[in-house]
């Protein structure tokens, strides 16, 4: 599972929820369906905000610390659901997959039930494993192209 270490000023619960939501964002729709099936989540949540797709403006900075500028627009889909127990789940995802946004919002709502947190995180463990393997493979590909520069003394000095 993702690291649950909270940044300064953030509660451990918020950091853990943020990590689960990030994992849902990196998951494929079929992985989210599998996670819900593993949880036996039979309750169909109520749509507070049916999945809808729109655009958001992405911002950038030159060099990482320059003045911000509008980089361009990105397509985002969002959803909000409520479980019969009153827990509310939210999800925002890049792209147009409405089903994925609703599934992720449902998992977010289920995670908020304290007794189900461990089960939700365990159901998402395959996603975390897949993403860790993908990151490791990417790091190996990048390392293979790494160039180490060094200074040689020229005989002229």
């Amino acid at each position: 599972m993702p690291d649950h270490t909270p940044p300064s000023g953030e509660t451990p619960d918020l950091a853990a929820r943020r990590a689960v939501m990030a994992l849902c964002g990196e998951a494929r729709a079929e992985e989210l369906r599998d996670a819900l099936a593993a949880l036996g989540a039979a309750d169909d949540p109520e749509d507070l905000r049916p999945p809808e797709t729109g655009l958001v403006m992405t911002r950038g900075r030159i060099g990482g610390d320059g003045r911000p500028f509008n980089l361009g627009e990105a397509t985002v889909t969002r959803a909000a659901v409520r479980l019969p127990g009153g827990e509310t789940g939210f999800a925002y995802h890049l792209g147009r997959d409405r089903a994925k946004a609703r599934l992720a919002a449902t998992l977010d709502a289920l995670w908020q039930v304290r007794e189900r947190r461990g089960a939700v995180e365990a159901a998402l463990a395959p996603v975390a494993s897949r993403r860790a393997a993908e990151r490791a493979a990417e790091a190996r590909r990048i390392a293979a192209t790494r160039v180490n520069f060094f200074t040689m003394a020229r005989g002229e000095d």
Side-chain angles (χ1 to χ4, degrees):
M1 281 304 299
D3 183 22
H4 291 336
T5 307
S8 62
E10 188 174 281
T11 66
D13 278 354
L14 183 58
R17 182 178 179 198
R18 186 182 307 248
V20 168
M21 291 176 84
L23 193 56
C24 285
E26 295 177 340
R28 298 179 184 119
E30 61 269 8
E31 290 173 324
L32 296 176
R33 271 189 218 89
D34 292 345
L36 282 171
L39 291 168
D43 296 337
D44 193 33
E46 168 193 0
D47 282 332
L48 293 177
R49 178 183 306 251
E52 56 188 354
T53 302
L55 294 172
V56 294
M57 180 59 68
T58 57
R59 310 255 311 168
R61 292 177 184 266
I62 293 178
D65 59 358
R67 296 189 71 164
F69 63 94
N70 291 340
L71 184 63
E73 294 175 331
T75 304
V76 176
T77 302
R78 67 181 178 181
V81 299
R82 181 181 301 142
L83 297 179
E87 296 82 8
T88 304
F90 301 92
Y92 286 79
H93 292 286
L94 287 172
R96 298 175 179 269
D97 193 342
R98 293 175 183 214
K100 178 182 173 184
R102 190 168 193 280
L103 292 167
T106 303
L107 283 166
D108 177 45
L110 288 170
W111 183 87
Q112 292 179 60
V113 179
R114 283 204 180 274
E115 299 78 33
R116 299 190 87 169
R117 285 184 182 176
V120 171
E121 291 176 3
L124 289 171
V127 178
S129 298
R130 177 185 60 81
R131 287 298 296 145
E134 289 173 354
R135 285 189 188 102
E138 184 177 2
R140 285 191 300 274
R141 282 192 307 272
I142 292 170
T145 63
R146 184 178 204 155
V147 177
N148 291 317
F149 292 96
F150 58 94
T151 304
M152 291 181 50
R154 295 172 56 185
E156 301 167 1
D157 295 336

